[in-house]
Amino acid sequence: MKHLLSIEDLGGDGITALLELTDRFVEVSERRIPKVPALLGKTVVSLFYEDSTRTRLSFETAAKRLSADTMNFSVGTSSVNKGESLRDTVETIEAMGVDAIVVRHGSAGVPWQITGWVDCSVINAGDGGHEHPTQALLDCYTIRQHCGSLRGRHIAIVGDIKHSRVARSDMLAFVAMGAEVTLVAPQTLLPARLDGWPVKVSHDLDAVLPTADVVYLLRMQRERMHEMLIPSLREYTTCYGMTAERAARLPKNALIMHPGPMNRGVEISAEVAGLVNAVIIDQVKNGVAVRMAVLFLLLGSGYGLANIVDAVPTAEGGRQ
Ligand code: CP
């Protein structure tokens, strides 16, 4: 596998293998010195045309824990401001000798476009409202960590589905792993067409809560909205916000998740974000190990998927 562009590149079996590989990198991350020489001599560049805290820093941390060299590209201080095109930018970066480009861009499809211009691996770190495959992987890992498996679990994805790349990648991943997914949102925050999406739809969060094993809350993606889609944030919070009162109506041990950044007081209250079953910090923590697994899968030694787990440096070879 050379690129990770869509969660569909992996499918159910590929996601399962990736999560098993992630177990090994969780173990590495818990060592006194959380570093292995798996990608020594490789260079990973972060090419972010959109803001990021979690994805950018966790890819950088993941690459460093695998002993890869890293380069960071900031649009704000680059020659993009002098009019340099995306194509010239990626060809310039590749000429410096990189093995992987981790790209985030506001336009859907850019990571696919880049694969036509460069020979190195390309990882989609979020393209417009389209996909965010590594977010889906870390979300699957977190649910598996807390619930054992996704199979048969009822997962409610709540909020601005229309503009959310997380919702799309998560929905595809959760269904591939055997979960039942309900999208919960007002009609205006759902995609115009849901043909082929293997999910249920509800406009009534309170009706969904009693059967949800996981409630996955989404931020209002105001940077992608070109019109008023809800009467007011206050009204949205009244109908769809996760308050302590709503959290109390979830089944025992149900998880509350959020990809971040949170808008506390809008889609999630500060009190709910601090509950023990709100696993938002676990999602961030798992993001590093998941991205180590992704980088190892794409750049590590050319092993087949089935051999990768055994190829990871072990305690004998890698423990500090
Ligand atoms: N979840 C997520 O993609 O967060 P960032 O925008 O901070 O990377």
Side-chain angles (χ1 to χ4, degrees):
M1 187 167 172
K2 184 170 178 182
H3 309 296
L4 179 60
L5 304 176
S6 164
I7 194 68
E8 289 183 300
D9 295 342
L10 288 166
D13 289 346
I15 294 171
T16 300
L18 200 289
L19 302 188
E20 286 169 5
L21 181 58
T22 299
D23 287 335
R24 301 297 301 273
F25 290 115
V26 167
E27 186 270 313
V28 169
S29 295
E30 287 167 352
R31 294 179 190 174
R32 189 173 58 83
I33 300 175
K35 205 170 172 92
V36 289
L39 297 186
L40 206 58
K42 305 281 186 188
T43 301
V44 177
V45 61
S46 298
L47 181 67
F48 278 56
Y49 281 77
E50 274 194 346
D51 296 340
S52 169
T53 298
R54 282 147 284 268
T55 312
R56 183 176 181 146
L57 290 178
S58 62
F59 262 116
E60 189 177 341
T61 305
K64 285 179 171 163
R65 286 187 180 174
L66 295 171
S67 304
D69 294 319
T70 57
M71 286 200 286
N72 260 306
F73 171 90
S74 297
V75 173
T77 54
S78 76
S79 290
V80 170
N81 291 335
K82 301 175 197 164
E84 191 162 40
S85 70
L86 175 65
R87 181 170 186 161
D88 285 341
T89 301
V90 294
E91 287 180 351
T92 297
I93 288 169
E94 197 192 33
M96 295 177 200
V98 302
D99 299 283
I101 294 176
V102 179
V103 60
R104 171 171 288 189
H105 201 283
S107 297
V110 160
W112 281 261
Q113 227 176 348
I114 291 176
T115 61
W117 299 331
V118 296
D119 288 329
C120 66
S121 292
V122 178
I123 300 171
N124 184 358
D127 63 318
H130 183 218
E131 279 241 33
H132 193 349
T134 57
Q135 180 71 45
L137 290 168
L138 74 89
D139 289 334
C140 286
Y141 191 85
T142 305
I143 296 169
R144 170 182 173 271
Q145 184 179 49
H146 287 274
C147 302
S149 160
L150 280 81
R151 186 153 300 282
R153 303 287 176 186
H154 179 205
I155 303 175
I157 303 177
V158 184
D160 182 6
I161 315 281
K162 184 184 177 87
H163 301 99
S164 175
R165 54 194 174 210
V166 173
R168 184 177 171 78
S169 290
D170 270 1
M171 179 270 298
L172 292 168
F174 295 163
V175 170
M177 297 301 285
E180 291 169 23
V181 175
T182 303
L183 305 180
V184 185
Q187 192 62 48
T188 50
L189 292 181
L190 288 166
R193 296 167 62 97
L194 282 165
D195 307 348
W197 289 43
V199 293
K200 292 183 185 151
V201 174
S202 172
H203 306 306
D204 185 352
L205 176 60
D206 292 308
V208 172
L209 290 178
T211 61
D213 297 299
V214 178
V215 178
Y216 195 102
L217 304 164
L218 296 170
R219 179 176 65 87
M220 207 67 69
Q221 309 261 307
R222 275 177 279 186
E223 68 273 27
R224 295 187 218 292
M225 287 185 191
H226 306 295
E227 55 191 326
M228 267 309 274
L229 295 174
I230 49 170
S232 68
L233 278 183
R234 190 167 166 178
E235 189 158 325
Y236 175 82
T237 303
T238 302
C239 296
Y240 296 99
M242 182 54 69
T243 57
E245 192 271 330
R246 284 200 168 108
R249 281 189 268 133
L250 285 167
K252 193 168 177 291
N253 300 327
L255 301 182
I256 296 166
M257 299 177 70
H258 194 301
M262 289 183 276
N263 287 146
R264 290 174 189 245
V266 180
E267 71 273 8
I268 184 168
S269 73
E271 190 179 354
V272 170
L275 293 174
V276 290
N277 58 326
V279 293
I280 297 152
I281 291 298
D282 290 350
Q283 290 171 260
V284 176
K285 192 172 170 186
N286 291 332
V288 175
V290 160
R291 289 173 175 127
M292 288 171 80
V294 168
L295 289 170
F296 185 80
L297 172 65
L298 301 187
L299 303 182
S301 311
Y303 290 94
L305 199 59
N307 299 321
I308 280 170
V309 171
D310 296 329
V312 175
T314 58
E316 298 80 58
R319 193 185 291 278
Q320 305 287 334

